[in-house]
Amino acid sequence: MIAVYFISAFLIAMTMLIVRRLLLTRWLMLLFVLIQWFFNGYVLLHAGQTELSYFTYDPAGVLFLGLLTLISTAAVIQGFPYFVSQLNKRFSYYYAALTGLIAAMTGAYMANDITLVWILVEATTLTASVLIYSERTLHALEATWKYIFICSVGIALAYMGILFLSLSMKGTGLHDLSFAGLTSVAHRLDPIYLKIAFLFVLTGYSTKMELFPMHTVGIDANSVALPPVGALISTGLVNLGFLSIFRVYKALSDSPIFVWMNKVLILAGVLSVLVAAGYMLKAKHTKRMLAYSTLENMGLVAIAIGIGGIGYYAAFLLLVLHALTKSSLFFQVGQMGRVLGTYKLDDSGLYLKLFPTGAIALLIGMLAILAIPPSGLFVSEYLILKALVAGKSWFVLILVLILLCCVIYALSTRVLHLLFSHPRENAGIHTQGTVGRWETISQFIFLMVVVGACFYQPPFLKDIINQIIAGLPNY
Amino acid sequence: MFYLLFVLFAGTLVYLSIAERFRSYAKLIAVQGFLLFAIALIELKTVNLASLIFVLAETLIFKAIVVPHFLFRIINQTKVYRVHPKAFPAFYSLLFTMAGLFMSIILSNMLKNPSLDAVFLTIALFTLFTGVLLIITHRRIFSHMVGFLVVENAVFFFSLAVGSEMPMLINIGILLDIFVSVLIIGVLMNRIGTQFSDLESDNLTSLKH
C-alpha cells in the first residue's frame, strides 16, 4: 500500500507541474489529501505491519502520521487564498512541493532503517526549500539559501553519524542499519564511536527539529514561508526531526552511553530554551516569534527525554499538543497578515477590532502555547517539571522556570499588543484584506482539542504513547 | 602509493586554507576529485563491479570535472575572483589548519579500530575540520560552498571506510554528494549569483529579529 501511496503522490505532483491549471491543481491537491486520509486509515488498521522491508507501521509512526494528516489537511485549505490567480504560475511549484513534502514526511515517519530515514529527511529539504521560495522575494531567497545550505551541512553531519554507527558495528556480523538491528547489538558497541555518532545525529537533525545548535535555519524559514507552510515546518517537520533523533536514542538506550545521551539532550534543551527566551524578548516579527516559541518547546521536549521517567510521556504529549497549537497559531497569524498587510509587530495592532473571530483564536492560541490552564500543554509542562523535581535536577528546574517566565512575558505582551494596541509606527492602520470567519474553523477545532487534553487525555493517546516509550530505561 | 595519495590530499587541504583566489579553490577541488578517484580505486577492491564503477564515475566525472567546471562558470559569471579583503588572514588560517591536523591525529588515535587505518581516519577528520573552518571563517558565499564540498569529501572518506562491508552506504553518500552539490550550485548560479553579484554573506543578513 505504501508503494501505491508514493506512486500516487508522485503522479499527482507531476500532473500539477505539467498541467498548470489552478482549478485542476486545487482538485488534485484535495485528491492527495483524500489519499493521505485513506493511507492513514490503512496504517491504523495494519499497525505493526512491515511493508517493502523498509517501512514499519509502529506506534511512533502512527501517532505522528495522524497529526500530519490532520495538520496538512488544514494547511492545504488555508493555503488556497494565497494563490487565486491563474496568471501566477508559481502555484504549480507550490502545490507539487507541498505534495512532495507531505509524502516524504509520511515515508520518514514509517521508515525502519536509519539510512532510509536520512534519505527521506533529505527529500524534505528539497521540497521545503521550494515552498520557502514560493514568494520569490529577496527575503525568500535569503531564507531559502540559508535553509538549503545549513540543512545540507546538517544532513551531511547526520550522515557522518550514520557512518560512525556503521564503523562501530564492524565485526558484529550485522550488515544492515535497521533500528531493530542496531538495538540488538547496541550493548556490544564501542562507546566512543557511539558518542560521536549520537552527537553528529543530534546536530544534523537539529536543523529539522529546530533545536539548538542548528535551530537558526528553521527560524528564518518560518519567518519567510507562507503561514500554512510555516505551520507544516513547525509541526510535521519538527516532529520528524525529533523522531529521527529519538529512534537513534531509543536504539542506543541499551548501550553504555545512555546516561551520557541524557546529559547531552538536557544541555541542548536548556540552551534551546535560553536562546528562545532571549530572542523572544527582542522579537519584532510575528512569525519569527512563533518560530522561537517552537525552539522553546523543542528545548522542553529534549529536557523531558533527557530526564526520563514521566518525562518521556510528557515529551510526547507536548509534541502532540504543540503541533495542534502551533499550526493554529500559524494559520491565525497568516490571516492576521492578510487583514493588516504586515507581520511586523510595530506596524500591527487593533486586531480585535478588525477581525474579532480571528483575534479570539489568537488569544486562545497564545494561552495554549504558554501552557496556561486550561491548556493541555499545562499538563505536559507540569509533568516535565515534576520529572525534574523527581530527578533532583534543581539547577535545570530553576533555570527553566526563570526562562519560561521570560517567554510568557515576551509572547503575552506582543500578542496583547497585536490585539488591543494601536500600531507603534503607523497609527492610521487600514484593513488590507478580508478573511472569512469560516477560515478560523480549523484553529478553533485544534485549540478545543488542546484545551480538552487538559481535563481528559483519551485512552488511545495514552496507550500509543506508552507503547512508544515502552522498553526505555528509567520508565 | 596509498599513503602518498593521503599526503597529497592533506597538502590540498593546507593549500585551500591559505589560498586567496577562487580559481585556486576550483583547481584544488578538481585535484581532490582525482585523488579521491585514485584512493577509491585502491581501497575498494572487494566491492562488486557495479558499485566500483559507480564510485569511480562519481569521483572522476562529477567531483573532478563537473563540479570544478561549474565553479569556474560561477567565477566567470560573477567576476568575483578573490576572497573577501577582510577575510581571516592566511597566516592564522594556516595555524588553525595545523591545529586541526594535530587534533585529527590525536582523535584518530583515540578512536583506534583494528579494522580501520589510523591514517585514513586522520585524513577524514582533517578534511571535515578544514571544510568547517572554511565555512566559519570566510565571508563570501563561494568560500562557504567550497567548504561544503570539502565536507562532502570528508563524508566520502568515511563512507569508503565502511565501503567493503556496506557498499550501499557509499552509493547513498554519492547520491547525497551529487544531489546536494547540484542543488547548492544551481541556487548559487541561478539565483544568488544574479541577485547578489559580490557573493558576500553580509548581503544575506536581512532576516533578523
Side-chain angles (χ1 to χ4, degrees):
Chain A
M1 177 52 80
I2 196 160
V4 175
Y5 170 79
F6 282 133
I7 292 166
S8 311
F10 179 75
L11 291 176
I12 287 173
M14 282 296 126
T15 314
M16 286 169 174
L17 288 173
I18 294 164
V19 175
R20 295 187 158 206
R21 294 270 163 211
L22 181 61
L23 193 63
L24 182 69
T25 303
R26 281 185 175 183
W27 278 109
L28 284 170
M29 197 65 228
L30 290 173
L31 173 68
F32 176 70
V33 169
L34 200 67
I35 293 169
Q36 182 75 17
W37 276 98
F38 180 75
F39 179 66
N40 200 143
Y42 176 86
V43 166
L44 274 175
L45 291 173
H46 296 82
Q49 192 176 306
T50 297
E51 276 193 33
L52 304 175
S53 306
Y54 286 105
F55 297 95
T56 302
Y57 307 144
D58 69 343
V62 171
L63 176 69
F64 289 121
L65 177 64
L67 273 173
L68 176 67
T69 305
L70 261 177
I71 294 165
S72 57
T73 306
V76 166
I77 296 166
Q78 295 278 349
F80 286 155
Y82 294 94
F83 296 98
V84 287
S85 168
Q86 169 69 43
L87 296 172
N88 188 347
K89 296 292 180 188
R90 291 186 320 225
F91 68 85
S92 58
Y93 293 109
Y94 174 84
Y95 286 113
L98 191 60
T99 307
L101 179 66
I102 296 167
M105 286 196 282
T106 300
Y109 288 151
M110 299 299 162
N112 61 21
D113 188 278
I114 302 171
T115 42
L116 187 63
V117 170
W118 179 85
I119 291 167
L120 290 164
V121 169
E122 179 68 14
T124 64
T125 303
L126 173 67
T127 47
S129 56
V130 175
L131 290 170
I132 295 164
Y133 191 51
S134 54
E135 292 217 278
R136 302 284 198 277
T137 59
L138 281 181
H139 282 321
L141 180 61
E142 178 183 338
T144 308
W145 169 256
K146 286 179 178 173
Y147 191 81
I148 291 176
F149 189 79
I150 299 175
C151 277
S152 300
V153 173
I155 216 80
L157 293 180
Y159 188 70
M160 297 276 266
I162 294 170
L163 290 171
F164 268 97
L165 276 178
S166 54
L167 277 173
S168 71
M169 283 161 67
K170 269 194 165 185
T172 57
L174 203 66
H175 292 290
D176 72 280
L177 280 166
S178 66
F179 291 108
L182 183 60
T183 308
S184 66
V185 296
H187 61 283
R188 290 196 277 145
L189 304 181
D190 187 340
I192 295 180
Y193 277 79
L194 293 186
K195 282 181 181 177
I196 295 174
F198 184 73
L199 273 183
F200 274 129
V201 167
L202 180 68
T203 310
Y205 288 136
S206 68
T207 52
K208 298 290 173 185
M209 190 182 164
E210 295 186 24
L211 187 74
F212 184 90
M214 295 179 81
H215 57 279
T216 52
V217 58
I219 309 282
D220 287 339
N222 277 315
S223 65
V224 165
L226 292 175
V229 177
L232 268 181
I233 291 176
S234 291
T235 57
L237 207 51
V238 159
N239 287 350
L240 173 58
F242 165 79
L243 191 60
S244 309
I245 296 167
F246 179 76
R247 286 199 195 278
V248 174
Y249 170 85
K250 195 177 178 189
L252 300 182
S253 63
D254 200 21
S255 74
I257 68 157
F258 178 68
V259 176
W260 179 86
M261 285 195 298
N262 287 335
K263 286 178 183 167
V264 171
L265 281 173
I266 291 173
L267 181 67
V270 169
L271 288 171
S272 300
V273 181
L274 181 72
V275 172
Y279 278 97
M280 279 174 88
L281 288 167
K282 295 201 292 183
K284 288 180 177 173
H285 191 281
T286 30
K287 287 195 283 180
R288 212 167 172 81
M289 180 179 72
L290 294 184
Y292 281 118
S293 158
T294 306
L295 174 64
E296 173 240 334
N297 279 285
M298 289 308 112
L300 290 176
V301 168
I303 293 170
I305 295 289
I307 209 76
I310 192 71
Y312 290 133
Y313 180 86
F316 277 91
L317 188 63
L318 182 57
L319 283 164
V320 172
L321 299 177
H322 169 263
L324 295 172
T325 312
K326 190 54 60 67
S327 54
S328 306
L329 280 168
F330 265 104
F331 297 146
Q332 198 46 59
V333 162
Q335 290 169 8
M336 191 198 76
R338 282 163 54 207
V339 171
L340 302 177
T342 181
Y343 294 108
K344 288 180 182 168
L345 277 160
D346 288 341
D347 296 341
S348 309
L350 296 177
Y351 191 46
L352 187 70
K353 192 177 168 187
L354 296 168
F355 185 40
T357 316
I360 290 166
L362 192 60
L363 186 63
I364 298 172
M366 179 202 82
L367 294 172
I369 204 71
L370 291 176
I372 295 169
S375 164
L377 274 92
F378 171 74
V379 178
S380 56
E381 292 195 12
Y382 168 73
L383 291 176
I384 293 171
L385 298 178
K386 199 174 156 185
L388 283 169
V389 172
K392 294 189 173 119
S393 304
W394 303 114
F395 176 70
V396 177
L397 176 73
I398 292 166
L399 189 60
V400 166
L401 281 172
I402 293 169
L403 294 172
L404 285 181
C405 288
C406 294
V407 169
I408 290 171
Y409 170 77
L411 196 70
S412 56
T413 50
R414 280 158 178 77
V415 172
L416 293 177
H417 164 76
L418 288 172
L419 298 178
F420 301 108
S421 305
H422 284 274
R424 291 190 187 101
E425 290 184 356
N426 179 15
I429 194 160
H430 301 292
T431 309
Q432 302 291 317
T434 52
V435 177
R437 275 190 290 180
W438 65 270
E439 291 183 52
T440 58
I441 290 172
S442 59
Q443 289 92 297
F444 280 112
I445 293 173
F446 287 177
L447 291 171
M448 267 168 57
V449 174
V450 174
V451 170
C454 184
F455 307 103
Y456 175 74
Q457 291 145 39
F460 74 87
L461 180 65
K462 285 183 177 177
D463 285 348
I464 202 163
I465 294 177
N466 284 323
Q467 281 175 43
I468 295 167
I469 60 184
L472 281 167
N474 299 344
Y475 175 60
Chain B
M1 177 66 182
F2 198 45
Y3 290 123
L4 176 68
L5 292 172
F6 280 135
V7 172
L8 285 173
F9 197 91
T12 62
L13 294 172
V14 175
Y15 192 8
L16 257 180
S17 69
I18 54 168
E20 290 186 344
R21 288 180 181 278
F22 286 152
R23 285 190 178 278
S24 307
Y25 281 16
K27 284 176 195 164
L28 286 166
I29 290 291
V31 172
Q32 287 192 352
F34 283 114
L35 290 171
L36 284 175
F37 166 75
I39 291 168
L41 196 64
I42 298 169
E43 178 69 12
L44 296 175
K45 288 173 196 153
T46 51
V47 298
N48 63 53
L49 188 65
S51 287
L52 188 64
I53 291 169
F54 190 45
V55 173
L56 297 182
E58 197 264 351
T59 47
L60 193 62
I61 298 171
F62 191 72
K63 280 184 184 291
I65 298 168
V66 176
V67 168
H69 168 73
F70 281 114
L71 292 181
F72 280 118
R73 268 190 67 178
I74 292 171
I75 295 167
N76 292 335
Q77 185 183 314
T78 58
K79 302 199 187 316
V80 179
Y81 301 106
R82 295 177 72 91
V83 295
H84 196 281
K86 289 181 186 168
F88 203 56
F91 175 69
Y92 293 113
S93 185
L94 185 65
L95 280 184
F96 270 94
T97 309
M98 288 300 125
L101 181 59
F102 187 62
M103 271 167 26
S104 305
I105 293 168
I106 294 172
L107 198 58
S108 59
N109 277 302
M110 279 169 64
L111 295 171
K112 259 185 184 166
N113 187 325
S115 58
L116 192 63
D117 194 327
V119 179
F120 204 99
L121 197 57
T122 305
I123 294 298
L125 289 169
F126 182 42
T127 312
L128 178 66
F129 180 86
T130 313
V132 173
L133 195 72
L134 266 174
I135 294 171
I136 293 170
T137 57
H138 282 244
R139 295 178 72 164
R140 284 202 160 127
I141 301 167
F142 189 88
S143 308
H144 296 171
M145 196 183 59
V146 171
F148 178 74
L149 292 170
V150 175
V151 170
E152 289 284 280
N153 286 345
V155 171
F156 185 78
F157 262 122
F158 279 110
S159 61
L160 281 183
V162 289
S164 45
E165 288 192 22
M166 294 183 187
M168 185 192 73
L169 279 178
I170 301 188
N171 298 340
I172 291 170
I174 288 170
L175 290 177
L176 161 81
D177 207 6
I178 295 173
F179 171 74
V180 176
S181 305
V182 168
L183 190 65
I184 288 182
I185 293 173
V187 172
L188 193 75
M189 279 178 67
N190 292 320
R191 303 287 172 193
I192 303 270
T194 50
Q195 296 283 356
F196 305 109
S197 56
D198 53 357
L199 289 181
E200 279 185 36
S201 57
D202 286 355
N203 289 327
L204 300 176
T205 53
S206 65
L207 295 173
K208 279 182 179 171
H209 310 309

